[in-house]
Amino acid sequence: MAAADLLVVITAVILNRIIGIYFPGNYLLITPVCRTKTTLAYVTNNLSVWLTIAFTFDRFIAICCQKLKTKYCTKKTSAAIIGMVLVLSCLKNIPWYFIYEPLYVNNALPWYCRIRSVFYTSPLWQAFSYFSSITTPFLPFFIILLLNVLTARYILVASRTRRALRGNISSENNPDPEMQIRKKSIILLFSISANFILLWLTYTIHYMYYRIINTYSYSGYDDPVYILQETGYMLQLLSCCTNTFIYAVTQVKFREELKKMVTYPVNQICSAVLFR
């Protein structure tokens, strides 16, 4: 997940956004290279989203399906699923390479990328557009919500049963460690769901708007629809980074190491000042 999110930052943010805006005229903007960069951005974006789903499914199996856990939650299975997600993400997004055409040709050299007009009228390309949007983000919305609701329901039922069996043993001075772990699991699951849905919501609203209205051009940079589009892209890219951050911060060992990293230079400075 962390590697996929880093690839999103490299391909979608640095190569496509920052270089395109702040370094115009460089050879990374030649049409074949531009097509490749854009296709890689779609691949890494899909990879990040579906690895998040794979991790969510892994947590569902580990918590709710104890019999299947020993067979499914293994390094071999994880490697196979990661490889399958990578291959399918590449195959699914290959058509994006052929959607773009040169913006202009200078000295027989094609520059920049723009979407072919046939993309908005051809039934085949429209079918691909719908398929691409269904697989990311509409289907992930449904899968993540379903898995997290089922997991949370299982945790709540198991916790209620455990609380009844323990009776009055648990108290403020004698907390149940298992209940605390389950509470943290529910918070993590709903944080992931809320984060994914909220950050992809603007992109989804814009996609549905331009498909219903059939408006594919803008009056300028101050056009509200253009602002909605760019805001959706920004939040969508942000969502590919926040899930890994959430998963990492919820780990106790990670927080301990982060605390050591922050306090170490402060302790060294204080020691140097006090013993000078």
Side-chain angles (χ1 to χ4, degrees):
M1 286 174 58
D5 291 342
L6 180 60
L7 289 174
V8 171
V9 173
I10 293 172
T11 58
V13 179
I14 297 177
L15 294 181
N16 279 285
R17 291 282 175 167
I18 294 177
I19 290 180
I21 294 173
Y22 295 103
F23 300 95
N26 69 81
Y27 287 98
L28 289 176
L29 299 175
I30 297 174
T31 301
V33 180
C34 179
R35 285 173 172 173
T36 303
K37 293 192 293 112
T38 305
T39 304
L40 287 175
Y42 280 105
V43 170
T44 55
N45 192 287
N46 279 233
L47 185 61
S48 173
V49 170
W50 281 94
L51 284 180
T52 301
I53 294 173
F55 185 88
T56 305
F57 183 74
D58 183 86
R59 294 301 85 201
F60 169 76
I61 295 295
I63 295 173
C64 303
C65 307
Q66 297 298 319
K67 292 183 180 179
L68 186 59
K69 176 182 175 180
T70 54
K71 295 182 179 180
Y72 180 83
C73 298
T74 63
K75 292 182 179 180
K76 184 177 180 180
T77 303
S78 297
I81 290 176
I82 291 171
M84 182 180 66
V85 171
L86 175 60
V87 170
L88 291 177
S89 295
C90 292
L91 293 176
K92 174 207 163 189
N93 290 286
I94 287 176
W96 286 108
Y97 183 87
F98 303 98
I99 287 174
Y100 294 92
E101 64 180 1
L103 183 62
Y104 62 87
V105 178
N106 184 19
N107 295 326
L109 195 63
W111 286 90
Y112 295 95
C113 292
R114 68 176 178 184
I115 298 177
R116 301 175 186 272
S117 57
V118 70
F119 175 74
Y120 301 108
T121 57
S122 169
L124 185 62
W125 282 121
Q126 287 190 358
F128 170 74
S129 177
Y130 286 126
F131 170 75
S132 181
S133 297
I134 288 171
T135 53
T136 307
F138 291 103
L139 187 58
F141 275 165
F142 174 76
I143 294 176
I144 288 180
L145 273 177
L146 177 63
L147 290 176
N148 286 347
V149 167
L150 291 175
T151 305
R153 178 178 176 274
Y154 177 87
I155 292 174
L156 290 174
V157 172
S159 299
R160 195 178 300 118
T161 304
R162 183 180 178 85
R163 193 181 299 113
L165 292 174
R166 284 176 61 89
N168 297 324
I169 298 177
S170 180
S171 63
E172 292 184 2
N173 298 326
N174 185 29
D176 186 356
E178 184 66 23
M179 293 289 289
Q180 293 179 339
I181 292 173
R182 291 175 179 178
K183 182 179 179 181
K184 291 179 180 178
S185 298
I186 293 178
I187 294 173
L188 172 61
L189 291 172
F190 280 100
S191 297
I192 293 297
S193 298
N195 169 73
F196 185 84
I197 292 172
L198 290 176
L199 293 180
W200 275 88
L201 186 60
T202 305
Y203 173 89
T204 305
I205 291 172
H206 172 261
Y207 177 83
M208 295 176 65
Y209 173 82
Y210 84 75
R211 277 301 179 188
I212 294 172
I213 305 300
N214 288 327
T215 302
Y216 308 112
S217 60
Y218 312 103
S219 59
Y221 293 130
D222 57 347
D223 190 324
V225 180
Y226 177 80
I227 295 173
L228 178 67
Q229 171 188 282
E230 294 303 306
T231 303
Y233 288 148
M234 179 187 68
L235 295 176
Q236 168 215 327
L237 294 174
L238 180 63
S239 74
C240 293
C241 306
T242 51
N243 279 348
T244 302
F245 177 79
I246 292 172
Y247 282 129
V249 169
T250 54
Q251 303 302 314
V252 176
K253 291 184 179 180
F254 178 86
R255 293 201 303 271
E256 291 175 353
E257 293 299 321
L258 184 63
K259 184 179 179 180
K260 290 179 182 178
M261 183 187 72
V262 173
T263 57
Y264 178 79
V266 176
N267 293 335
Q268 293 299 311
I269 293 172
C270 292
S271 298
V273 171
L274 292 174
F275 294 101
R276 176 176 294 181

